[in-house]
């Protein structure tokens, strides 16, 4: 994103961004900010500005709507992301995907590592790649470490759909889009996904589109 001025100090750029109004504009794939990685958060934003930025991420995520949003997706190369998932899905989907409600959380300087070897593959989308979904095989269980917005340590194991969310958002902070990990033969428009591949698992899509599941 070309504005605010990329050469301005980060706090100044974030302040200008927030002053431009909410919800913030979500950066689309093709913008270098999504590929450049992020710098660890180390007090670049003073507490009041950090609180405003976190609230802006929350508002923007909910307005999209989405279940997670990383700072680079609004043009800010800081290692900060937010997640929240009310999980309004049928019981069958909840059981198969392990999709359970997640409260609003702020992830500061997060990183993850797999717990065990199990992997799960499901259709996944991204607010920065609007209109499309693809099947991504991800770790079924991960350990997430980092801090919250108050500097308190996070060290938590996530499973099922919450594990997918934290992997997706943390990947954004490393310049990785979900398409980098996707089975590209599964790439489907949102309309095609809704009309053809709304089943709880992507097994039918794998057979019809010709790709393997883990």
């Amino acid at each position: 994103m070309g504005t605010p001025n990329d050469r301005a100090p980060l706090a100044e750029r974030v302040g200008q961004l927030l002053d431009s109004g909410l919800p913030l504009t979500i950066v689309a794939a093709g913008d270098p900010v999504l590929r450049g990685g992020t710098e660890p958060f180390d007090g670049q934003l003073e507490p009041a500005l950090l609180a405003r930025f976190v609230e802006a991420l929350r508002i923007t995520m909910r307005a999209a709507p989405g279940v997670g949003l990383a700072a680079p997706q609004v043009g800010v190369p800081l290692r900060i992301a937010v997640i929240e998932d009310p999980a309004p899905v049928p019981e069958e989907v909840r059981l198969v995907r392990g999709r359970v409600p997640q409260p609003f959380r702020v992830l500061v300087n997060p990183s993850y590592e797999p717990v065990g070897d199990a992997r799960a593959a499901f259709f996944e989308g991204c607010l920065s790649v609007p209109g499309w979904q693809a099947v991504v095989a991800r770790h079924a269980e991960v350990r997430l470490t980092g801090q919250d917005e108050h500097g308190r340590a996070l060290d938590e194991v996530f499973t099922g759909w919450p594990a997918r969310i934290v992997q997706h958002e943390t990947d954004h902070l490393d310049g990785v889009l979900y398409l980098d990990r996707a089975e590209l033969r599964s790439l489907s428009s949102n309309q095609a996904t809704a009309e053809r591949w709304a089943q709880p698992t992507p097994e039918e899509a794998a057979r019809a589109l010709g790709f393997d599941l883990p």
Side-chain angles (χ1 to χ4, degrees):
M1 190 164 63
T3 56
N5 187 341
D6 290 339
R7 293 182 295 275
L10 187 58
E12 180 182 337
R13 289 162 51 195
V14 170
Q16 291 172 3
L17 181 67
L18 298 178
D19 289 342
S20 68
L22 300 176
L24 303 175
T25 299
I26 295 177
V27 173
D31 192 307
V33 73
L34 294 174
R35 294 304 199 173
T38 53
E39 60 181 86
F41 178 75
D42 187 24
Q44 294 93 330
L45 310 182
E46 55 90 22
L49 184 57
L50 175 62
R52 286 182 63 203
F53 182 56
V54 165
E55 177 66 5
L57 290 175
R58 183 187 68 82
I59 290 170
T60 304
M61 174 182 64
R62 289 181 175 179
V67 297
L69 190 67
Q73 292 182 275
V74 296
V76 177
L78 268 181
R79 202 166 183 82
I80 296 174
V82 297
I83 64 173
E84 181 182 47
D85 185 12
V89 296
E91 182 69 5
E92 182 183 10
V93 173
R94 183 188 70 79
L95 291 174
V96 170
R97 300 182 185 177
R99 188 170 178 183
V100 294
Q102 287 295 299
F104 178 74
R105 305 277 295 273
V106 182
L107 310 179
V108 177
N109 300 329
S111 61
Y112 66 82
E113 59 184 26
V115 177
D117 298 324
R119 295 174 70 81
F122 294 105
F123 274 99
E124 188 173 316
C126 179
L127 297 177
S128 290
V129 190
W132 298 92
Q133 297 183 47
V135 172
V136 184
R138 291 193 182 272
H139 303 297
E141 188 172 11
V142 296
R143 178 186 179 191
L144 182 79
T145 56
Q147 299 87 42
D148 68 10
E149 69 272 36
H150 304 295
R152 296 176 297 218
L154 296 177
D155 188 343
E156 188 172 342
V157 173
F158 290 81
T159 61
W161 206 258
R164 180 169 298 269
I165 294 172
V166 299
Q167 288 173 82
H168 181 115
E169 298 308 327
T170 302
D171 280 357
H172 270 302
L173 305 179
D174 294 324
V176 175
L177 295 179
Y178 85 101
L179 289 175
D180 300 333
R181 303 190 186 279
E183 172 51 68
L184 290 183
R185 289 184 69 93
S186 71
L187 186 64
S188 304
S189 68
N190 284 348
Q191 181 177 348
T193 305
E195 292 176 352
R196 296 176 179 272
W197 317 128
Q199 302 86 4
T201 74
E203 291 179 1
E204 186 173 332
R207 287 192 297 270
L209 299 176
F211 61 92
D212 295 326
L213 295 173

